[in-house]
Amino acid sequence: MSALLVGAFSGVIAPAHADDGYPDGTTPPAGANDWGCRPSAAHPEPVVLVHGTWGNQNSWDVLAPQLKEQGYCVFSLSYGRAATSIRGAQPGVYGTADIRSSAREVGIFVDQVRGATGAPKVDIVAHSQGGPLVRQFLRFEGGANHRDPIDNKVDHLVTIAATNHGTTAEGLGYLLPTGSAQAPILGLVAKYLGTAALQQLIDSEFMRSLNAAGDTEPGIKYTVIASHVDRVVTPPEATFLTAGFGAEVDNIWVQDLCPDDDFNHGALPASPTVGYVVQKALDPSYIGLPCPG
Protein backbone atom coordinates (compact mmCIF):
# COMPACT_ATOMS: atom_id res chain seq x y z
CA MET A 1 0.00 0.00 0.00
CA SER A 2 2.86 2.41 0.74
CA ALA A 3 4.22 2.07 -2.79
CA LEU A 4 0.74 2.72 -4.16
CA LEU A 5 0.39 5.88 -2.09
CA VAL A 6 3.84 7.14 -3.06
CA GLY A 7 3.09 6.44 -6.71
CA ALA A 8 -0.18 8.35 -6.55
CA PHE A 9 1.46 11.44 -5.09
CA SER A 10 4.37 11.20 -7.49
CA GLY A 11 2.11 10.98 -10.51
CA VAL A 12 -0.14 13.91 -9.75
CA ILE A 13 1.80 16.51 -7.76
CA ALA A 14 5.23 16.76 -9.31
CA PRO A 15 5.93 19.24 -12.11
CA ALA A 16 9.10 19.07 -14.14
CA HIS A 17 12.23 20.26 -12.36
CA ALA A 18 15.90 21.11 -12.78
CA ASP A 19 16.86 17.51 -13.37
CA ASP A 20 14.81 17.51 -16.59
CA GLY A 21 15.40 21.04 -17.82
CA TYR A 22 13.12 23.00 -15.49
CA PRO A 23 14.71 26.07 -13.80
CA ASP A 24 16.26 25.28 -10.44
CA GLY A 25 14.46 28.02 -8.51
CA THR A 26 17.48 30.19 -7.80
CA THR A 27 16.55 32.88 -10.35
CA PRO A 28 13.27 34.80 -9.92
CA PRO A 29 10.74 34.91 -12.76
CA ALA A 30 10.91 37.85 -15.14
CA GLY A 31 9.41 40.89 -13.44
CA ALA A 32 9.83 39.58 -9.90
CA ASN A 33 12.05 40.76 -7.05
CA ASP A 34 12.75 44.31 -8.16
CA TRP A 35 13.66 45.51 -4.66
CA GLY A 36 13.60 49.11 -5.83
CA CYS A 37 9.95 48.88 -6.87
CA ARG A 38 7.55 51.22 -5.11
CA PRO A 39 3.82 50.42 -5.18
CA SER A 40 1.59 52.80 -7.13
CA ALA A 41 -1.68 54.33 -6.01
CA ALA A 42 -3.43 51.97 -8.43
CA HIS A 43 -1.75 48.90 -6.91
CA PRO A 44 -0.73 49.86 -3.38
CA GLU A 45 0.00 46.32 -2.15
CA PRO A 46 3.01 44.38 -3.43
CA VAL A 47 2.15 40.87 -4.62
CA VAL A 48 4.00 37.92 -3.11
CA LEU A 49 3.88 34.65 -5.07
CA VAL A 50 4.06 31.40 -3.08
CA HIS A 51 4.56 28.12 -5.00
CA GLY A 52 3.40 24.63 -4.05
CA THR A 53 4.86 21.24 -3.13
CA TRP A 54 7.93 20.23 -5.17
CA GLY A 55 7.76 23.53 -7.03
CA ASN A 56 9.92 26.62 -6.84
CA GLN A 57 9.53 30.28 -7.70
CA ASN A 58 9.72 29.47 -11.42
CA SER A 59 6.20 28.10 -11.12
CA TRP A 60 5.35 31.79 -11.66
CA ASP A 61 7.28 32.31 -14.90
CA VAL A 62 4.00 33.08 -16.71
CA LEU A 63 2.05 35.04 -14.10
CA ALA A 64 4.86 37.17 -12.62
CA PRO A 65 5.62 39.14 -15.81
CA GLN A 66 1.90 39.58 -16.46
CA LEU A 67 1.45 41.19 -13.04
CA LYS A 68 4.56 43.32 -13.51
CA GLU A 69 3.21 44.55 -16.84
CA GLN A 70 0.03 45.67 -15.08
CA GLY A 71 2.10 47.81 -12.74
CA TYR A 72 2.40 45.62 -9.63
CA CYS A 73 5.48 45.23 -7.52
CA VAL A 74 5.94 41.45 -7.69
CA PHE A 75 8.01 39.23 -5.42
CA SER A 76 8.65 35.50 -5.30
CA LEU A 77 10.74 33.03 -3.34
CA SER A 78 11.66 29.38 -3.31
CA TYR A 79 10.89 28.08 0.18
CA GLY A 80 11.00 24.83 2.12
CA ARG A 81 14.16 23.26 0.72
CA ALA A 82 14.79 20.06 2.69
CA ALA A 83 17.05 17.30 1.37
CA THR A 84 15.89 14.85 4.03
CA SER A 85 13.50 13.09 1.61
CA ILE A 86 14.28 11.38 -1.68
CA ARG A 87 12.12 13.83 -3.62
CA GLY A 88 13.34 16.84 -1.68
CA ALA A 89 16.98 16.02 -2.41
CA GLN A 90 16.47 16.42 -6.15
CA PRO A 91 17.70 19.61 -7.85
CA GLY A 92 15.23 22.47 -7.98
CA VAL A 93 12.74 20.80 -5.66
CA TYR A 94 11.40 22.98 -2.86
CA GLY A 95 8.32 22.92 -0.67
CA THR A 96 9.07 19.61 1.06
CA ALA A 97 9.95 20.88 4.56
CA ASP A 98 7.56 21.03 7.50
CA ILE A 99 4.85 23.51 6.52
CA ARG A 100 5.15 25.25 9.87
CA SER A 101 8.81 26.10 9.29
CA SER A 102 8.05 27.10 5.69
CA ALA A 103 5.32 29.45 6.96
CA ARG A 104 7.92 31.19 9.12
CA GLU A 105 10.22 31.40 6.10
CA VAL A 106 7.49 33.05 4.05
CA GLY A 107 6.71 35.37 6.97
CA ILE A 108 10.30 36.61 7.01
CA PHE A 109 10.11 37.20 3.26
CA VAL A 110 6.84 39.13 3.61
CA ASP A 111 8.48 41.39 6.19
CA GLN A 112 11.39 41.96 3.82
CA VAL A 113 8.98 42.97 1.06
CA ARG A 114 7.09 45.29 3.38
CA GLY A 115 10.31 46.88 4.56
CA ALA A 116 11.72 47.37 1.07
CA THR A 117 8.54 48.77 -0.48
CA GLY A 118 7.21 50.72 2.49
CA ALA A 119 3.84 48.99 2.10
CA PRO A 120 2.13 48.02 5.37
CA LYS A 121 0.37 45.07 3.71
CA VAL A 122 0.93 42.68 0.83
CA ASP A 123 -1.35 40.60 -1.34
CA ILE A 124 -0.41 36.94 -1.70
CA VAL A 125 -1.08 34.53 -4.56
CA ALA A 126 -0.48 30.95 -3.45
CA HIS A 127 -0.59 27.65 -5.32
CA SER A 128 -1.37 24.23 -3.81
CA GLN A 129 0.56 23.82 -0.52
CA GLY A 130 1.04 27.59 -0.60
CA GLY A 131 -2.59 28.04 0.45
CA PRO A 132 -2.52 26.27 3.81
CA LEU A 133 1.05 27.50 4.33
CA VAL A 134 -0.04 31.14 4.08
CA ARG A 135 -3.05 30.41 6.28
CA GLN A 136 -0.62 28.94 8.83
CA PHE A 137 1.40 32.16 8.60
CA LEU A 138 -1.74 34.25 9.09
CA ARG A 139 -3.06 32.29 12.05
CA PHE A 140 0.03 31.23 13.95
CA GLU A 141 3.03 33.22 12.72
CA GLY A 142 1.92 36.83 13.03
CA GLY A 143 0.50 37.39 9.56
CA ALA A 144 -2.88 38.39 10.99
CA ASN A 145 -3.30 40.65 13.99
CA HIS A 146 -6.05 39.02 16.00
CA ARG A 147 -6.46 42.05 18.24
CA ASP A 148 -6.78 44.62 15.47
CA PRO A 149 -7.21 43.39 11.88
CA ILE A 150 -6.24 46.80 10.55
CA ASP A 151 -2.67 45.75 11.35
CA ASN A 152 -2.81 42.51 9.33
CA LYS A 153 0.25 42.03 7.14
CA VAL A 154 -1.89 40.61 4.33
CA ASP A 155 -4.83 42.29 2.63
CA HIS A 156 -5.89 39.70 0.04
CA LEU A 157 -5.01 36.01 -0.26
CA VAL A 158 -5.67 34.37 -3.64
CA THR A 159 -5.25 30.60 -3.64
CA ILE A 160 -4.98 28.36 -6.69
CA ALA A 161 -5.99 24.72 -6.15
CA ALA A 162 -4.85 24.98 -2.55
CA THR A 163 -4.89 21.92 -0.31
CA ASN A 164 -6.83 23.91 2.27
CA HIS A 165 -8.57 20.91 3.80
CA GLY A 166 -6.10 18.24 2.76
CA THR A 167 -6.13 15.72 -0.04
CA THR A 168 -6.98 12.04 -0.28
CA ALA A 169 -4.33 11.61 -3.00
CA GLU A 170 -7.02 10.40 -5.40
CA GLY A 171 -8.74 8.56 -2.55
CA LEU A 172 -5.71 6.62 -1.41
CA GLY A 173 -5.46 8.61 1.78
CA TYR A 174 -8.60 6.87 2.92
CA LEU A 175 -6.82 3.51 2.60
CA LEU A 176 -4.25 4.29 5.25
CA PRO A 177 -4.59 2.09 8.32
CA THR A 178 -5.36 3.62 11.68
CA GLY A 179 -3.59 3.42 15.02
CA SER A 180 -0.09 2.04 15.38
CA ALA A 181 -0.19 0.38 11.95
CA GLN A 182 -0.34 3.80 10.33
CA ALA A 183 2.99 5.13 11.61
CA PRO A 184 5.36 3.06 9.40
CA ILE A 185 3.47 4.00 6.24
CA LEU A 186 3.38 7.67 7.18
CA GLY A 187 7.12 7.44 7.78
CA LEU A 188 7.59 6.09 4.26
CA VAL A 189 5.54 8.93 2.78
CA ALA A 190 7.74 11.47 4.56
CA LYS A 191 10.93 9.62 3.58
CA TYR A 192 10.05 9.54 -0.11
CA LEU A 193 8.01 12.70 -0.59
CA GLY A 194 8.83 15.03 2.28
CA THR A 195 7.12 16.15 5.45
CA ALA A 196 4.91 18.66 3.63
CA ALA A 197 3.31 15.95 1.49
CA LEU A 198 2.44 13.98 4.61
CA GLN A 199 0.97 17.05 6.28
CA GLN A 200 -1.35 17.62 3.34
CA LEU A 201 -3.12 14.29 3.64
CA ILE A 202 -6.72 14.69 4.69
CA ASP A 203 -7.21 14.57 8.46
CA SER A 204 -3.49 14.93 9.18
CA GLU A 205 -2.52 16.45 12.51
CA PHE A 206 -1.39 19.58 10.68
CA MET A 207 -4.71 19.98 8.87
CA ARG A 208 -6.72 19.42 12.04
CA SER A 209 -4.70 22.09 13.84
CA LEU A 210 -4.87 24.58 10.98
CA ASN A 211 -8.63 24.34 10.51
CA ALA A 212 -9.75 23.84 14.10
CA ALA A 213 -10.76 27.47 14.56
CA GLY A 214 -12.29 27.93 11.11
CA ASP A 215 -10.98 28.75 7.68
CA THR A 216 -10.39 32.50 7.73
CA GLU A 217 -9.03 35.46 9.67
CA PRO A 218 -10.86 38.77 10.30
CA GLY A 219 -9.97 41.55 7.90
CA ILE A 220 -8.62 39.28 5.15
CA LYS A 221 -10.13 38.94 1.68
CA TYR A 222 -9.88 35.47 0.14
CA THR A 223 -10.29 34.43 -3.48
CA VAL A 224 -10.22 30.64 -3.82
CA ILE A 225 -9.75 29.10 -7.27
CA ALA A 226 -10.69 25.47 -7.98
CA SER A 227 -10.65 23.31 -11.11
CA HIS A 228 -12.94 20.39 -11.88
CA VAL A 229 -10.00 18.56 -13.50
CA ASP A 230 -7.77 18.81 -10.42
CA ARG A 231 -6.50 15.37 -9.38
CA VAL A 232 -4.41 16.53 -6.42
CA VAL A 233 -6.99 18.38 -4.36
CA THR A 234 -9.52 15.59 -4.07
CA PRO A 235 -12.34 16.29 -4.12
CA PRO A 236 -11.54 19.61 -5.86
CA GLU A 237 -14.12 21.53 -3.85
CA ALA A 238 -12.13 20.72 -0.70
CA THR A 239 -10.09 23.79 -1.56
CA PHE A 240 -13.04 26.11 -0.90
CA LEU A 241 -13.12 28.19 2.27
CA THR A 242 -16.02 29.23 4.49
CA ALA A 243 -15.95 32.85 5.57
CA GLY A 244 -15.74 33.46 9.30
CA PHE A 245 -16.27 36.68 11.22
CA GLY A 246 -14.89 39.74 9.43
CA ALA A 247 -13.58 37.89 6.38
CA GLU A 248 -14.66 37.89 2.73
CA VAL A 249 -14.47 34.73 0.61
CA ASP A 250 -15.08 34.29 -3.11
CA ASN A 251 -14.95 30.63 -4.20
CA ILE A 252 -14.54 30.28 -7.98
CA TRP A 253 -14.54 27.34 -10.41
CA VAL A 254 -12.18 27.83 -13.36
CA GLN A 255 -14.63 26.03 -15.64
CA ASP A 256 -17.44 28.46 -14.79
CA LEU A 257 -15.42 31.04 -16.71
CA CYS A 258 -13.79 28.78 -19.28
CA PRO A 259 -15.44 25.34 -19.62
CA ASP A 260 -12.62 23.96 -21.76
CA ASP A 261 -9.79 24.87 -19.38
CA ASP A 262 -8.00 21.57 -18.79
CA PHE A 263 -4.81 22.76 -17.10
CA ASN A 264 -3.84 20.14 -14.55
CA HIS A 265 -2.99 20.87 -10.93
CA GLY A 266 0.69 21.62 -11.41
CA ALA A 267 0.11 23.78 -14.49
CA LEU A 268 -2.74 25.91 -13.14
CA PRO A 269 -0.52 28.94 -12.36
CA ALA A 270 0.06 29.19 -16.13
CA SER A 271 -3.63 28.95 -17.08
CA PRO A 272 -4.88 32.12 -18.83
CA THR A 273 -8.17 31.76 -16.99
CA VAL A 274 -6.44 31.53 -13.64
CA GLY A 275 -4.35 34.57 -14.59
CA TYR A 276 -7.53 36.47 -15.35
CA VAL A 277 -9.13 35.49 -12.03
CA VAL A 278 -5.99 36.49 -10.10
CA GLN A 279 -5.80 39.90 -11.75
CA LYS A 280 -9.53 40.51 -11.41
CA ALA A 281 -9.36 39.59 -7.72
CA LEU A 282 -6.45 41.95 -7.08
CA ASP A 283 -8.01 44.74 -9.13
CA PRO A 284 -11.76 44.59 -9.89
CA SER A 285 -11.28 47.21 -12.63
CA TYR A 286 -9.02 44.83 -14.59
CA ILE A 287 -10.24 44.23 -18.13
CA GLY A 288 -9.18 40.99 -19.78
CA LEU A 289 -10.47 37.82 -21.34
CA PRO A 290 -11.45 35.06 -18.91
CA CYS A 291 -11.39 32.47 -21.68
CA PRO A 292 -8.98 33.57 -24.42
CA GLY A 293 -8.86 31.84 -27.74
Side-chain angles (χ1 to χ4, degrees), residues 2 41 57 59-60 126 137 143 166 191 193 200 223 230 235 242 255-256 277-278 283 292:
S2 59
Q57 62 185 328
S59 299
W60 306 108
F137 160 61
K191 176 182 177 181
L193 307 180
Q200 290 171 88
T223 299
D230 194 344
T242 299
Q255 285 76 22
D256 283 351
V277 175
V278 169
D283 180 4

Side-chain angles (χ1 to χ4, degrees), residues 141-152:
E141 302 297 340
N145 188 319
H146 299 119
R147 294 182 178 179
D148 189 354
I150 197 170
D151 290 328
N152 290 342

Side-chain angles (χ1 to χ4, degrees), residues 124-256:
I124 297 181
V125 181
H127 175 228
S128 193
Q129 178 197 149
L133 184 158
V134 174
R135 292 175 56 229
Q136 172 76 17
F137 160 61
L138 291 173
R139 178 156 293 176
F140 298 112
E141 302 297 340
N145 188 319
H146 299 119
R147 294 182 178 179
D148 189 354
I150 197 170
D151 290 328
N152 290 342
K153 295 180 180 180
V154 176
D155 180 50
H156 198 151
L157 171 59
V158 182
T159 66
I160 303 168
T163 52
N164 281 318
H165 297 101
T167 174
T168 69
E170 292 193 311
L172 293 178
Y174 287 130
L175 300 179
L176 285 171
T178 59
S180 60
Q182 187 182 55
I185 293 180
L186 295 180
L188 281 174
V189 174
K191 176 182 177 181
Y192 278 91
L193 307 180
T195 300
L198 175 65
Q199 290 172 317
Q200 290 171 88
L201 284 175
I202 193 169
D203 202 37
S204 71
E205 181 276 331
F206 172 81
M207 284 295 167
R208 291 195 302 272
S209 173
L210 176 63
N211 294 314
D215 291 348
T216 61
E217 309 300 326
I220 307 288
K221 298 187 289 270
Y222 299 80
T223 299
V224 185
I225 304 171
S227 171
H228 285 295
V229 301
D230 194 344
R231 294 296 177 266
V232 173
V233 180
T234 52
E237 58 268 25
T239 191
F240 288 150
L241 300 175
T242 299
F245 175 78
E248 302 175 29
V249 173
D250 191 9
N251 293 315
I252 299 172
W253 286 108
V254 170
Q255 285 76 22
D256 283 351

